[in-house]
Amino acid sequence: MDRRRFLEGAVVTAGACLGVGSARAATGADIVSPSDFAHLAVRVGDLKEAVAFYDTVLRCRPHHVASRPDAPSRGGAWCSYDIEHHRVSIFGRGGKPVPETGLLGWDRFTFSYDSLTELGANYHALKAGGIEPRAARRYGGSVSLLYTDPSGNRIEMLLDRFDRIEDLEPYLGEAAGLEKAAGVDFDPASLPAPGGAASAENETVAPSELVHTVIRTRQLEPMVDWYVRALGCEVAERSETLALLRFDHRLLRILLVEDRKRERGAGNQGYDHFAFEYKTMDELVVRTYARLKESGVKPYWCTNHGMTTSIYYTDPDGNRVETQVDNFPTKAEGLAYIRGPDFARNPVGIDFDPDEMVDRVRGGASYEEMHHRVEGPRTTPPPRPQEGVHY
């Protein structure tokens, strides 16, 4: 993550931090948190260009690409850098790049790397291929490289050496105002270079994990409340303008930044949604969907994609959040499906009734019955969430 964004203004209420676990206790024992980030989805201007970028920068290999014969820049691609069937979904929409500044919503997604050597290998390989970071900063022992994809979406590479909230204390007293950088800029050329000639083709390293996202908002309190209620997040740190949320062992999973000067973005590009994975159908539809429905939070789309069963929500700012469970017992089977003919015929999905699914889970339906997708063409396009659908 860009630590400057976390630390700016945090001194205002640095002493009023909430202990980890306090938000979880307040939400009730029935909430189950996701087990992991599953993937992010981006809307881009040119599909082929974006696929090449994510393949080069994140080693995110395309497992399925479907472009329109009459418009090669439009279509979809499902890509992964590890054993998952997809970590980045890319939707080619055509149009102009995303504006660089002035927008609310997702600010960046951050991918974790295990060593300075890996970051150095990536920097030198990408530079050799003509791809330079827009920013390079150090925060104590942590190192951050920030890149921008061809449509303006921001992707961060991070070596994170902060293991506890207390590790941030030396920086809190120095933060003052939204324009003062708490991190220290450095020359990325000083990062260790791999032996031999570097190239973007043979030297870049895939990330170990998608670790967090940064979201800008005009309404911090409703956003904190929604993510605590919907995902069972814990509030690990709070200030007047920031909220650091987590749902597992990681120090940070979602950073909410209140920025009233920015405006809501317009257009058809940018981050489309991000997804959280649950371990079982019971966690997805009974302990999450049914619980949220009782409190008035309803999804805008429920569909079986084939490799996952997915339920989509919008947060109070209209950002789209997917909750999902894998349909296959092994990652290899899910990957084989996304590369196969059934997915090629229908990469969108077959809609389902979540209340009926709740009844089936509570009635003891078998794993095969709950996860099976009846194949067939979709008759309608994926829905666009309506304003206010989250309540």
Side-chain angles (χ1 to χ4, degrees):
M1 126 185 204
D2 181 349
R3 296 291 178 187
R4 179 173 67 90
R5 298 299 185 189
F6 171 75
L7 297 167
E8 288 163 345
V11 68
V12 177
T13 56
C17 141
L18 295 176
V20 171
S22 58
R24 173 68 56 81
T27 60
D30 290 334
I31 293 181
V32 57
S33 295
S35 60
D36 195 6
F37 270 126
H39 63 264
L40 69 93
V42 294
R43 288 168 279 148
V44 302
D46 188 289
L47 178 65
K48 183 177 180 180
E49 185 180 45
V51 168
F53 175 87
Y54 284 95
D55 189 0
T56 298
V57 173
L58 296 181
R59 312 308 287 157
C60 211
R61 302 299 193 190
H63 296 305
H64 178 85
V65 180
S67 60
R68 288 174 44 179
D70 61 327
S73 67
R74 295 176 177 267
W78 289 260
C79 314
S80 186
Y81 52 77
D82 59 12
I83 62 173
E84 290 286 346
H85 37 70
H86 66 301
R87 285 296 192 180
V88 179
S89 298
I90 304 171
F91 306 128
R93 301 289 175 83
K96 299 179 180 179
V98 175
E100 294 275 336
T101 60
L103 300 182
L104 293 174
W106 291 312
D107 186 272
R108 72 201 60 200
F109 280 88
T110 297
F111 294 85
S112 176
Y113 290 79
D114 294 331
S115 70
L116 205 60
T117 300
E118 289 187 352
L119 278 188
N122 282 358
Y123 166 76
H124 290 285
L126 293 175
K127 179 178 174 62
I131 300 175
E132 299 256 16
R134 59 177 290 165
R137 294 190 179 93
R138 293 184 184 272
Y139 305 88
S142 296
V143 178
S144 164
L145 298 177
L146 185 65
Y147 289 87
T148 303
D149 77 10
S151 287
N153 300 303
R154 294 193 282 189
I155 303 297
E156 183 180 24
M157 296 181 180
L158 177 70
L159 173 64
D160 190 354
R161 297 282 173 79
F162 288 131
D163 297 319
R164 305 171 302 156
I165 293 294
E166 290 77 12
D167 294 335
L168 297 172
E169 289 180 355
Y171 301 90
L172 295 176
E174 298 298 324
L178 287 175
E179 299 303 322
K180 183 174 181 180
V184 178
D185 291 345
F186 76 99
D187 181 1
S190 63
L191 290 171
S199 73
E201 174 60 29
N202 60 22
E203 294 291 347
T204 50
V205 180
S208 60
E209 189 179 358
L210 168 59
V211 288
H212 65 254
T213 185
V214 180
I215 306 174
R216 293 186 172 274
T217 179
R218 286 178 177 268
Q219 47 178 347
L220 185 61
E221 289 302 326
M223 290 284 280
V224 171
D225 177 67
W226 193 88
Y227 281 96
V228 167
R229 287 200 295 146
L231 300 182
C233 288
E234 300 168 342
V235 181
E237 178 80 2
R238 276 296 304 272
S239 76
E240 289 185 352
T241 58
L242 303 166
L244 187 155
L245 309 180
R246 58 185 291 187
F247 54 77
D248 60 6
H249 66 284
R250 280 281 180 179
L251 178 67
L252 170 67
R253 284 300 193 175
I254 301 172
L255 177 64
L256 299 174
V257 180
E258 187 165 68
D259 192 343
R260 295 184 178 274
K261 294 181 180 180
R262 297 205 174 199
E263 300 178 353
R264 184 181 297 277
N268 64 349
Q269 294 189 62
Y271 294 117
D272 187 272
H273 69 268
F274 62 108
F276 295 91
E277 184 170 287
Y278 289 79
K279 295 178 180 178
T280 66
M281 194 70 77
D282 175 74
E283 290 186 352
L284 178 71
V285 301
V286 176
R287 300 181 66 186
T288 301
Y289 163 76
R291 173 182 60 82
L292 291 175
K293 181 182 177 182
E294 289 179 358
S295 65
V297 178
K298 299 178 181 180
Y300 70 89
W301 190 28
C302 302
T303 194
N304 188 322
H305 291 299
M307 64 285 190
T308 66
T309 297
S310 300
I311 300 177
Y312 291 78
Y313 298 88
T314 56
D315 70 17
D317 273 1
N319 299 306
R320 288 178 280 188
V321 176
E322 177 184 0
T323 58
Q324 69 173 52
V325 64
D326 270 353
N327 284 342
F328 292 94
T330 68
K331 301 297 184 182
E333 290 174 273
L335 180 57
Y337 177 87
I338 207 171
R339 290 173 170 171
D342 289 338
F343 187 76
R345 283 192 295 268
N346 177 8
V348 178
I350 302 297
D351 295 354
F352 66 89
D353 182 342
D355 293 312
E356 179 182 326
M357 184 69 76
V358 170
D359 292 339
R360 292 171 65 190
V361 172
R362 287 174 171 166
S366 68
Y367 179 93
E368 290 75 13
E369 290 175 311
M370 289 186 294
H371 292 258
H372 178 63
R373 182 176 99 161
V374 177
E375 291 302 334
R378 279 189 52 84
T379 56
T380 58
R384 306 291 292 181
Q386 301 298 312
E387 192 73 24
V389 74
H390 50 273
Y391 287 124

